[in-house]
Amino acid sequence: MLHIERVRLSIIEMPLKKPFTTHLGTLGNRQSIIIEVIDRDGVSGFGEAVAFSSPWYTEETTKTEWHILNDYLIPGLFNQEINHPNEVSSLFDSIRRNEMAKSGIETAIWDLYAKKQAEPLSKLLGGSRKEVPTGAVVATQNAEAAIKQIEKFQEEGYQRIKVKISPGNDIDFLKAVRKEYPNLPLMADANSAYTLDDIEQLKALDDFQLMMIEQPLSVTDMVDHATLQKHISTPICLDESITSFHDAYSAIKLGSCQIINIKMGRVGGLENAKRIHDLCVEHHIKVWCGGMIEFGVSRAHNLALATLEGFTIPGDIVSSQHYWEKDIIEPFVEVNNGMISVPTGAGIGFSINRKRLKEVTISYEEYVKGKGV
Ligand SMILES: O=C(O)CCC(=O)C1=CC=C[C@@H](O)[C@@H]1C(=O)O
Ligand SMILES: [Mg+2]
């Protein structure tokens, strides 16, 4: 039985080592909310609310998460007796959407629960992998720079490369990449840059032997993706369209995709992520673990999730040092020959460098039992 006694929220901020560019803009600085839930025995669990500072990827932002966490999600926790983290997402049923805020708290409670059970989070999720294959994202629209980044990722052993494409930055870009790397396991993420009017361009992508095209059409679409999949041989992977178990169910029913990028933040936490994984395995839909250019707490949770048997495609789980000068976890997540070893310690299996957390904290709120209820 878990009794949450205190919650500590820290908005942290770090510059990326290299800007992350898509057709939607460039991310140079990253904020995230680190959530520490502390039970009556003084045991801490950590989660990370991963919305960006502006609503370019989903409708949530660091500020909306701060509001929903402060005013809705946390106050309701103090008088709850939680038997299992699987109960947490239904506690939030009366609060619509706000999946990343919910995921931040839910994952922190999963970490706390696993620590109380003295078990690795991966084991409690039902994961069996002792190491996880991983891929990397080339986030530049400049072909020359992209080829240089791919060369570095190849040296580091990443098992597949994801590039970003959009109208006017697709065919020639992919031709340049394929010229240098004809056999590279390669996928492309469009972040909803196309419409069905672009169908001829999208058909042309079939010449590049892509593993998949991720989210080519509107972030809320299922129907046009199903139409598009009938016209192209490249498998469609959905990302932004899948914000819930029901979205995954609908996409599978409609034939909108052959692959789903599962991000626990986008779908409200680990329980929902696991349910979507199980549904996809049942319906022979491939899944992989997406990233959110996050810090070490969410990266550690992704690692635990990616140990589930259905995660057969290398995910977006790069090393801590790819993005950050100094992450907030110890040890850092490291990639060796394209694999990441799964920690065997209790919970997420990484500890928090509190000194570093304090250094990069820009705003802070602590709740004690009774406040906010
Ligand atoms: O976390 C990573 O290493 C990269 C993740 C990544 O590619 C994305 C994160 C968030 C928004 C997008 O730009 C993109 C995606 O759509 O998957
Ligand atoms: Mg994506």
Side-chain angles (χ1 to χ4, degrees), residues 33-331:
I33 302 178
I34 303 302
I35 300 168
E36 180 178 7
V37 293
I38 305 154
D39 79 347
R40 61 173 49 163
D41 301 323
V43 179
S44 290
F46 287 88
E48 182 175 341
V50 293
F52 294 107
S53 309
S54 66
W56 62 273
Y57 173 66
T58 68
E59 73 284 359
E60 288 186 83
T61 68
T62 312
K63 283 203 172 101
T64 64
E65 288 174 325
W66 189 257
H67 159 51
I68 293 297
L69 285 160
N70 274 298
D71 299 328
Y72 292 95
L73 300 180
I74 292 170
L77 278 183
F78 290 120
N79 51 8
Q80 290 293 340
E81 293 193 343
I82 299 168
N83 293 301
H84 190 279
N86 273 339
E87 297 164 12
V88 176
S89 50
S90 52
L91 285 181
F92 300 149
D93 279 349
S94 63
I95 297 151
R96 294 286 187 241
R97 302 188 74 82
N98 289 285
E99 306 304 343
M100 292 188 177
K102 291 175 181 176
S103 177
I105 277 279
E106 192 248 22
T107 53
I109 293 172
W110 269 102
D111 181 33
L112 171 61
Y113 178 80
K115 282 167 177 163
K116 300 286 283 188
Q117 302 294 315
E119 292 283 8
L121 174 59
S122 58
K123 185 175 172 203
L124 296 184
L125 289 172
S128 51
R129 297 178 196 282
K130 301 293 174 235
E131 53 179 6
V132 160
T134 193
V137 183
V138 170
T140 172
Q141 307 226 311
N142 172 296
E144 207 179 313
I147 288 162
K148 283 206 182 81
Q149 282 189 34
I150 293 172
E151 192 180 340
K152 188 163 178 301
F153 281 135
Q154 290 283 82
E155 287 160 12
E156 293 170 57
Y158 286 96
Q159 297 196 25
R160 68 103 177 101
I161 295 295
K162 170 162 114 173
V163 293
K164 299 286 184 175
I165 61 169
S166 55
N169 197 71
D170 44 20
I171 308 301
D172 291 345
F173 179 84
L174 289 169
K175 267 186 194 152
V177 170
R178 273 297 185 219
K179 182 165 175 284
E180 294 296 317
Y181 297 102
N183 304 312
L184 175 73
L186 182 66
M187 55 182 281
D189 188 354
N191 290 111
S192 306
Y194 298 89
T195 70
L196 278 184
D197 294 344
D198 302 310
I199 196 151
E200 291 313 316
Q201 249 168 298
L202 292 165
K203 280 181 184 172
L205 298 181
D206 285 347
D207 296 342
F208 297 103
Q209 300 80 42
L210 296 175
M211 296 165 71
M212 67 191 86
I213 175 162
E214 189 180 340
Q215 199 71 41
L217 308 178
S218 161
V219 294
T220 56
D221 175 79
M222 302 274 185
V223 174
D224 284 359
H225 279 102
T227 303
L228 176 62
Q229 187 64 94
K230 294 187 181 76
H231 290 86
I232 63 173
S233 57
T234 304
I236 290 176
C237 169
L238 291 181
D239 172 356
E240 291 91 330
S241 293
I242 309 296
T243 65
S244 66
F245 174 85
H246 192 77
D247 282 348
Y249 167 82
S250 304
I252 293 168
K253 280 276 182 198
L254 290 168
S256 308
C257 62
Q258 296 180 46
I259 305 170
I260 289 181
N261 162 346
I262 297 180
K263 297 182 182 179
M264 61 197 166
R266 195 190 65 228
V267 298
L270 283 167
E271 190 219 351
N272 290 338
K274 181 171 161 44
R275 288 181 65 218
I276 292 169
H277 162 274
D278 296 348
L279 179 73
C280 289
V281 168
E282 186 190 339
H283 292 275
H284 310 294
I285 297 290
K286 292 182 183 162
V287 295
W288 54 281
C289 183
M292 280 296 292
I293 319 166
E294 59 260 275
F295 297 106
V297 171
S298 178
R299 199 167 297 282
H301 280 285
N302 279 347
L303 187 52
L305 178 65
T307 63
L308 293 179
E309 48 127 7
F311 286 99
T312 53
I313 298 174
D316 283 347
I317 313 178
V318 295
S319 64
S320 295
Q321 290 176 298
H322 175 73
Y323 287 124
W324 317 118
E325 285 304 333
K326 189 175 179 185
D327 203 345
I328 58 167
I329 57 167
E330 288 172 331

